[in-house]
Amino acid sequence: MTDAHPETPTVLSPTAEAPVEGLPPGFGEGIAGTAAFLIAIAFSVFQIYIAAYGSLPSQVVRAMHVGFLLLLGFGLVANLRATSIPAKAAFWTLGLVGFATGLYNWVFYADLIRRSGFLTTPDLIIGTVLVVLVFEAARRLMGLPLALIALIFLAYAFFGNHLPPPFIHRGYDFTQLIDTFAFGTEGIYGTPVYVSAAYIFIFVVFAAFLERAGMIALFNDFALGLVGTWRGGPAQVCVLSSALMGTISGSGVANVVASGQFTIPLMKRFGFRSAFAGAVEATSSMGGQIMPPVMGAVAFIMAETLNIPYAEVVKAAIIPALLYFGACFWQVYLEAGKAGLQGMAKADLPNPWHAVRRHWPLVLPLAALIYLLFAGYTPIFAGTMGLALTIVLILGTPLAALIGPLAFRIVFWLALGLAAASFMRFGVNILSFVIAGLVIACVTFRGGRETLQICIDSLAEGAKNALPVGIACAIVGVVIGTLTLTGIASTFIGWIISIGENNLFLSLVLTMLTCLVLGMGIPTIPNYIITSSLAGPALLSLGVPLVVSHMFVFYFGIMADLTPPVALAAFAAAPMAKESGLRIGIQATKLAVAGFVVPFMAVYTPALMLQDPGPIAAQFGYPVEVAYIVAKACMGIALWGAAAVGFLARRMAWWERLVAFAAGVLLVAALPVTDEAGWALSVAWIGWHCWRARQATA
């Protein structure tokens, strides 16, 4: 098992050099850089300790989480973006003040609970400073649009009592607003920050450890060997590797940056157009957020918001995710056929099963994570144990390499595996003792110090990668606080319901447009939180199942990063594709057809998300209904893919594309007799088209 040793040179470069949102790579130089690096490690250690032992009140954990975010965020802005010494000093001061707000909540936790609603002057000062710093951190790290949207909601909370009906509210004094936004659990320290502190951070660090251990190399080699020989092989590799990356990383833009450096030049070298190559990377990487078993951060927020097990969210996402990536594979296949491109030579590709055999221990922590998630354990427990097992694997590898005979190495790994697995019976302490022993051994023996450095770097990188998610969760708390306090959400919900009483489809379109417009300026997480708070209850009132309504919003929050004019994932791929982000966004919109169609289908036929059964289930059984709905969706997506690319068995005329599109619409529409008409038109057209293609070839 020594050949499973994480090969650091091939792993470190792509992940360590990937920028995080608006920040350049690294932590800075000199003493300030070292300080930021140590703060990031302390942040990770604090979060891991809380996840493992949970010895602090939730309010304190949330406050310290935001305090660390502000300290690390402003410290990195000072080190990586500020140019003058006064500016660097100012940003570090803001970071320290932000961290002090967390300490204030910790030190005076009991007092703050007792005087809730009756804040003192120091409380008001700390609360005001916290709100200002969260806005500034969001502006610096996430860009102006998100901060501006939150500022509009904040202004509404302060001055909405002067607006005309139906937007007027009763008005709130300054103390009440600061109490809500800065100290309550409906503001900055609300559910999003709780989820960021409890679940998301652990999974981000877990992904950082797996990437450092060599998981990206495993995914790339496996994808190359498995689908590289298919028609359009390089692009098929991109789709599969991004789908696999989604199992450890839920950040679409991060996936674009991490894997696009390898896949986009490969696709271009084999003949794909630059815009199409960038679109394949952007579309498949964004799909990582909906790819079970470990989806994006939104999935954890959804589970917490709906108060359902995480496994229920995963269950609802399985079929849509398969359809999404299936549509990507299909359109790549058609595009390659249209351009006359073939796959890569098998002799030039790695054997996928050799890659798995060489790196298979890396799959064990991921398998343990999946088992724990679906066995009913909480995400925080599953994530913590998955992370701990990954650390055990990394630290044990150099020690196993020192053992000569193969039999002794096998005994070592078996003993280590049994010791690590005993946490299921004896609790987290046993894992802590195992890791402590491995750390001491790595310090003592040759080769162990380099492995320890990998772990330390992973802790720091994980904290840095968690910054944009955490800051987004913090500032969106202002929006949630405003919605809760003023009741403006009820006005919006009533408006949607009044429209939906006459036309549910129109309500869905309005919700979709809200997601897409919001997504032009803000990331998926705040987009989902804001839109689900507004539209989710309205869709539920119109008879849409709760999980389906939230998944509807989630999907279109993701699509916003692919849809022009502001397609964040497309613009992230633009420098590597050397192509306009707008052109990439247009191509990505075509590729992501399943992401636009499946949510609408799921509303009318919830069985697509394994939710409420419909009339087919009553007559033939639930499995038959699910199979039929999936078959219908597959045919519709296949027809629309052909219409978008203009190729099936041969190039298609404009009227053929129109017929294919119309047949797909008939299949997707859940109306009387449209299914029959859609199937008939689809079979007739495909048969005729293939016959014409054969005639032309003859």
Side-chain angles (χ1 to χ4, degrees):
M1 293 183 66
T2 54
D3 52 357
H5 177 62
E7 300 174 13
T8 54
T10 60
V11 179
L12 289 180
S13 54
T15 54
E17 294 303 316
V20 176
E21 292 295 335
L23 292 173
F27 290 85
E29 300 176 351
I31 296 175
T34 303
F37 185 77
L38 294 175
I39 289 168
I41 294 171
F43 191 7
S44 290
V45 170
F46 171 79
Q47 290 291 162
I48 293 171
Y49 176 82
I50 293 300
Y53 294 101
S55 56
L56 289 177
S58 177
Q59 186 80 355
V60 173
V61 173
R62 301 181 199 199
M64 289 303 298
H65 184 74
V66 174
F68 267 116
L69 289 170
L70 294 173
L71 176 59
L72 181 59
F74 281 118
L76 290 175
V77 170
N79 291 354
L80 303 176
R81 296 176 65 181
T83 54
S84 65
I85 293 179
K88 292 177 183 292
F91 282 121
W92 271 109
T93 301
L94 291 178
L96 291 170
V97 171
F99 187 70
T101 63
L103 292 175
Y104 186 87
N105 276 269
W106 192 349
V107 173
F108 298 104
Y109 168 71
D111 296 330
L112 288 170
I113 293 293
R114 281 194 295 268
R115 61 175 179 255
S116 178
F118 301 94
L119 302 182
T120 64
T121 301
D123 295 342
L124 289 173
I125 293 172
I126 290 293
T128 304
V129 167
L130 173 65
V131 173
V132 171
L133 289 179
V134 166
F135 269 89
E136 179 62 10
R139 186 177 75 87
R140 294 285 179 179
L141 295 173
M142 308 297 294
L144 184 60
L146 177 56
L148 192 58
I149 289 172
L151 184 62
I152 291 171
F153 278 87
L154 183 64
Y156 177 73
F158 273 97
F159 307 113
N161 56 316
H162 300 297
L163 294 177
F167 303 105
I168 189 171
H169 60 68
R170 67 179 181 84
Y172 307 95
D173 60 30
F174 183 77
T175 301
Q176 186 175 0
L177 290 173
I178 293 300
D179 191 25
T180 298
F181 292 131
F183 292 101
T185 56
E186 297 293 341
I188 290 173
Y189 299 144
T191 299
V193 159
Y194 164 72
V195 176
S196 176
Y199 307 155
I200 298 172
F201 191 97
I202 293 299
F203 280 87
V204 171
V205 175
F206 177 59
F209 270 88
L210 281 179
E211 289 173 10
R212 291 269 173 169
M215 189 62 92
I216 292 180
L218 170 60
F219 287 160
N220 284 340
D221 287 349
F222 183 77
L224 274 169
L226 197 65
V227 301
T229 56
W230 293 8
R231 182 201 284 178
Q236 306 286 21
V237 169
C238 174
V239 175
L240 181 58
S241 63
S242 295
L244 293 172
M245 273 292 294
T247 62
I248 64 169
S249 168
S251 173
V253 177
N255 285 356
V256 172
V257 175
S259 58
Q261 301 172 42
F262 164 72
T263 57
I264 293 177
L266 182 67
M267 285 186 275
K268 291 177 63 178
R269 195 163 65 246
F270 274 80
F272 283 100
R273 294 174 290 118
S274 297
F276 187 80
V280 171
E281 178 57 55
T283 306
S284 52
S285 290
M286 290 307 298
Q289 296 185 73
I290 60 171
M291 188 63 187
V294 183
M295 300 162 64
V298 171
F300 295 104
I301 296 174
M302 188 188 302
E304 190 66 31
T305 302
L306 300 181
N307 195 27
I308 60 176
Y310 177 75
E312 287 297 310
V313 178
V314 170
K315 185 180 80 171
I318 289 174
I319 293 175
L322 293 176
L323 291 174
Y324 183 95
F325 281 101
C328 291
F329 278 119
W330 173 241
Q331 291 200 62
V332 165
Y333 182 82
L334 295 177
E335 180 73 22
K338 183 179 179 181
L341 303 176
Q342 299 302 318
M344 294 181 281
K346 188 171 184 178
D348 299 334
L349 300 174
N351 186 310
W353 308 115
H354 287 174
V356 172
R357 191 158 59 244
R358 187 168 62 250
H359 295 289
W360 70 266
L362 295 176
V363 181
L364 295 179
L366 190 59
L369 172 68
I370 295 168
Y371 167 76
L372 292 172
L373 282 174
F374 284 90
Y377 292 92
T378 63
I380 188 170
F381 179 81
T384 305
M385 294 304 104
L387 173 60
L389 292 175
T390 305
I391 295 173
V392 168
L393 177 68
I394 294 174
L395 293 177
T397 300
L399 301 178
L402 298 174
I403 302 173
L406 176 62
F408 289 169
R409 289 204 301 274
I410 293 174
V411 170
F412 169 80
W413 281 114
L414 286 174
L416 189 59
L418 289 172
S422 61
F423 76 88
M424 294 291 291
R425 180 171 182 181
F426 299 108
V428 71
N429 283 334
I430 190 71
L431 259 181
S432 300
F433 290 136
V434 170
I435 292 173
L438 290 173
V439 169
I440 294 170
C442 283
V443 171
T444 306
F445 294 105
R446 175 176 54 85
R449 293 184 183 89
E450 292 81 359
T451 305
L452 280 177
Q453 189 61 49
I454 291 176
C455 294
I456 292 171
D457 291 341
S458 299
L459 289 172
E461 283 296 327
K464 186 181 178 184
N465 293 342
L467 266 180
V469 177
I471 290 295
C473 288
I475 194 168
V476 85
V478 173
V479 177
I480 301 301
T482 301
L483 294 175
T484 303
L485 191 64
T486 64
I488 186 61
S490 301
T491 304
F492 185 86
I493 291 166
W495 182 53
I496 292 287
I497 291 173
S498 65
I499 295 172
E501 284 174 349
N502 302 316
N503 194 328
L504 173 61
F505 181 76
L506 184 57
S507 292
L508 295 174
V509 171
L510 289 172
T511 304
M512 176 190 74
L513 292 175
T514 302
C515 293
L516 295 178
V517 171
L518 273 178
M520 290 182 184
I522 64 177
T524 307
I525 294 171
N527 189 350
Y528 161 76
I529 294 171
I530 294 170
T531 315
S532 65
S533 301
L534 293 169
L539 295 179
L540 180 64
S541 300
L542 295 172
V544 181
L546 191 60
V547 174
V548 173
S549 65
H550 279 252
M551 291 294 286
F552 184 93
V553 172
F554 177 23
Y555 267 65
F556 284 110
I558 292 172
M559 292 302 104
D561 280 339
L562 298 173
T563 310
V566 185
L568 188 60
F571 278 93
M576 291 169 282
K578 295 181 172 58
E579 180 58 274
S580 157
L582 184 60
R583 290 183 181 176
I584 293 175
I586 293 171
Q587 290 292 328
T589 303
K590 294 179 184 178
L591 278 169
V593 60
F596 289 95
V597 176
V598 167
F600 280 94
M601 287 190 69
V603 169
Y604 291 100
T605 51
L608 193 63
M609 290 186 178
L610 301 179
Q611 299 300 305
D612 300 352
I616 298 177
Q619 189 171 358
F620 300 102
Y622 191 61
V624 173
E625 179 177 26
V626 172
Y628 175 72
I629 297 300
V630 170
K632 193 170 72 157
C634 288
M635 179 59 81
I637 289 169
L639 290 167
W640 282 353
V645 175
F647 183 89
L648 187 59
R650 58 176 297 201
R651 287 180 179 268
M652 296 160 54
W654 67 267
W655 63 268
E656 289 184 278
R657 299 171 78 165
L658 198 60
V659 170
F661 178 78
V665 170
L666 288 173
L667 284 170
V668 168
L671 300 173
V673 307
T674 55
D675 278 11
E676 293 85 346
W679 282 113
L681 183 58
S682 302
V683 172
W685 177 81
I686 291 173
W688 181 87
H689 176 83
C690 293
W691 177 78
R692 283 289 306 272
R694 237 185 342 263
Q695 291 290 101
T697 304

